[in-house]
Amino acid sequence: MSEPLLEVKDLVKHFPIKKGFIPSRQAEVVRAVDGISLDVYRGETLGLVGESGCGKSTTGRLILRLIEPTSGSVLFEGRDILTLNTQQMRELRKKMQIVFQDPYASLNPRMSVGDIIAEPIEAHGLARGKALSRRVEELLEMVGLASYHMKRYPHEFSGGQRQRIGIARALAVDPALVVCDEPVSALDVSIQAQVINLLQDLQDQLGLTYLFIAHDLSVVKHISDRVAVMYLGKIVEIAPKDSLYDDPKHPYTEALLSAAPIPDPERRRQRIILEGDVPSPVKPPSGCRFHTRCRYARDICYDRDPAAIDVGDEHRVACHFPLSSRGDSDSGHQFKDKEMN
Ligand code: SF4
């Protein structure tokens, strides 16, 4: 594997909850991200999946320093970005870009598409005049649009086309890393594949590195080289794609995969029903945070937070009782399963 482009260590973001008007009465915090460590290697796509509210989008924003972490470090090309001053951070932003989830909200409706894409190029002093226009045309063509689209406004485009504009804007400053924050979840299913294929083509063409955040496991499987699964502010499992999908080691991953559709009508999969709601990140459960919903939980799980362990082949899992193989566990708990067609 190549060297890491991005190294995240013990990243924490706690959002304080202020009660009343008196600042000193701040009592609780939302533990949105609670000690995440991961590497993203040059040229790869790392998928980051989890249910809504698990902290995956906050992680993406922390990595880009769009919000300030509570603690931890984020090394990009070996430099801790959290120690950089405003000017240094501004320089670095050229190399780290984001594609947002909502292509409707992320584009300024008062600006033409040409101006939207030109804005970051001008802001970083990368081109002016005719060279700027040529660069905007080139970017539009790269994302499957045409130069005549420059003069049009966002409302004149479909959702998929707007996301292409968002991608062109992210690529305008020639980044190395692109954080794709649920880039297709607001799009029709028929359009999702087109945008995913475009992102893959651009990665091949430009040698991009992606952190791809999504809640849809089938989308993540399609584009990722490795996948990290988040639950309640922590990474519970990280592995190469095939290893994670074929042989999940964490009960949460197992349950998520059991609910994902399989394209083969001949195959049946045991559906695992996750009981209860995701607990509040203000007061996460003691010990293993998943114990309130885990069908394999035992006494130790209520008290001790499991450390991530290496189970071989770059597959890491944070569980006291990793599944031995293909969901086969020796737990004696009553399962609440049903067969799924
Ligand atoms: Fe389940 Fe215990 Fe593993 Fe947590 S540590 S996932 S509760 S078996």
Side-chain angles (χ1 to χ4, degrees):
M1 198 174 281
S2 61
E3 71 196 83
L5 178 67
L6 181 76
E7 297 163 80
V8 176
K9 292 197 177 77
D10 301 321
L11 194 61
V12 172
K13 181 63 185 179
H14 292 172
F15 292 102
I17 303 172
K18 294 204 168 84
K19 291 190 172 170
F21 296 104
I22 306 166
S24 62
R25 290 189 64 202
Q26 173 199 317
E28 295 178 316
V29 293
V30 176
R31 296 167 180 272
V33 174
D34 217 7
I36 277 186
S37 298
L38 56 83
D39 293 338
V40 186
Y41 295 92
R42 225 174 253 282
E44 79 160 345
T45 299
L46 177 68
L48 187 59
V49 287
E51 289 166 288
S52 174
C54 71
K56 55 192 188 303
S57 287
T58 304
T59 302
R61 282 165 170 73
L62 289 169
I63 285 169
L64 297 174
R65 212 175 158 190
L66 297 176
I67 48 178
E68 291 292 326
T70 305
S71 62
S73 63
V74 178
L75 275 65
F76 182 83
E77 294 178 331
R79 287 168 88 194
D80 188 347
I81 69 163
L82 304 180
T83 63
L84 302 182
N85 63 29
T86 310
Q87 182 54 36
Q88 291 167 324
M89 201 57 226
R90 190 177 142 75
E91 274 301 304
L92 195 71
R93 288 215 186 282
K94 277 190 279 191
K95 297 186 173 182
M96 306 168 81
Q97 289 289 306
I98 185 166
V99 175
F100 292 100
Q101 174 181 359
D102 187 351
Y104 296 87
S106 64
L107 304 176
N108 186 337
R110 293 187 192 83
M111 288 172 75
S112 71
V113 167
D115 288 343
I116 287 170
I117 298 172
E119 191 178 42
I121 304 173
E122 285 181 302
H124 287 284
L126 299 176
R128 285 189 309 178
K130 285 198 173 125
L132 177 61
S133 300
R134 275 199 302 276
R135 176 72 177 141
V136 173
E137 280 178 27
E138 180 189 38
L139 285 158
L140 282 168
E141 281 161 21
M142 268 166 55
V143 299
L145 297 172
S147 54
Y148 64 83
H149 287 129
M150 279 171 76
K151 301 259 183 289
R152 298 197 180 163
Y153 287 81
H155 73 267
E156 298 176 69
F157 293 87
S158 67
Q161 286 175 319
R162 287 187 212 198
Q163 198 53 295
R164 287 172 188 268
I165 297 164
I167 293 167
R169 180 180 57 184
L171 299 182
V173 289
D174 209 7
L177 173 73
V178 181
V179 173
C180 303
D181 185 7
E182 302 252 18
V184 297
S185 50
L187 304 176
D188 290 346
V189 174
S190 58
I191 307 297
Q192 288 184 357
Q194 293 173 17
V195 174
I196 293 287
N197 289 340
L198 171 67
L199 286 168
Q200 284 183 311
D201 289 347
L202 291 169
Q203 183 172 43
D204 292 344
Q205 210 179 316
L206 305 171
L208 297 165
T209 303
Y210 292 143
L211 176 66
F212 192 94
I213 298 167
H215 63 271
D216 185 332
L217 280 156
S218 48
V219 168
V220 170
K221 185 177 186 183
H222 189 74
I223 194 167
S224 302
D225 298 298
R226 292 186 304 133
V227 176
V229 179
M230 270 188 89
Y231 184 76
L232 215 55
K234 287 183 178 274
I235 289 179
V236 296
E237 185 162 11
I238 182 164
K241 171 176 69 177
D242 291 340
S243 180
L244 187 123
Y245 281 78
D246 294 345
D247 194 10
K249 299 293 185 192
H250 196 281
Y252 179 57
T253 312
E254 180 196 41
L256 287 182
L257 286 172
S258 81
I262 324 178
D264 182 354
E266 297 294 311
R267 282 179 60 195
R268 290 158 70 87
R269 181 152 56 190
Q270 185 188 49
R271 173 91 187 255
I272 299 163
I273 307 292
L274 280 177
E275 281 203 326
D277 295 328
V278 181
S280 164
V282 176
K283 282 192 183 137
S286 61
C288 172
R289 293 181 175 197
F290 189 57
H291 83 248
T292 55
R293 303 169 85 196
C294 180
R295 63 187 191 144
Y296 306 115
R298 301 184 199 175
D299 288 350
I300 189 177
C301 306
Y302 295 77
D303 303 322
R304 290 245 308 267
D305 190 8
I309 53 168
D310 203 328
V311 291
D313 298 329
E314 300 160 42
H315 196 145
R316 290 178 69 75
V317 59
C319 174
H320 294 304
F321 307 103
L323 304 177
S324 55
S325 179
R326 297 184 185 280
D328 172 24
S329 166
D330 62 351
S331 169
H333 279 246
Q334 295 295 310
F335 301 161
K336 296 180 176 60
D337 308 335
K338 66 178 184 186
E339 284 293 306
M340 188 178 141
N341 289 324

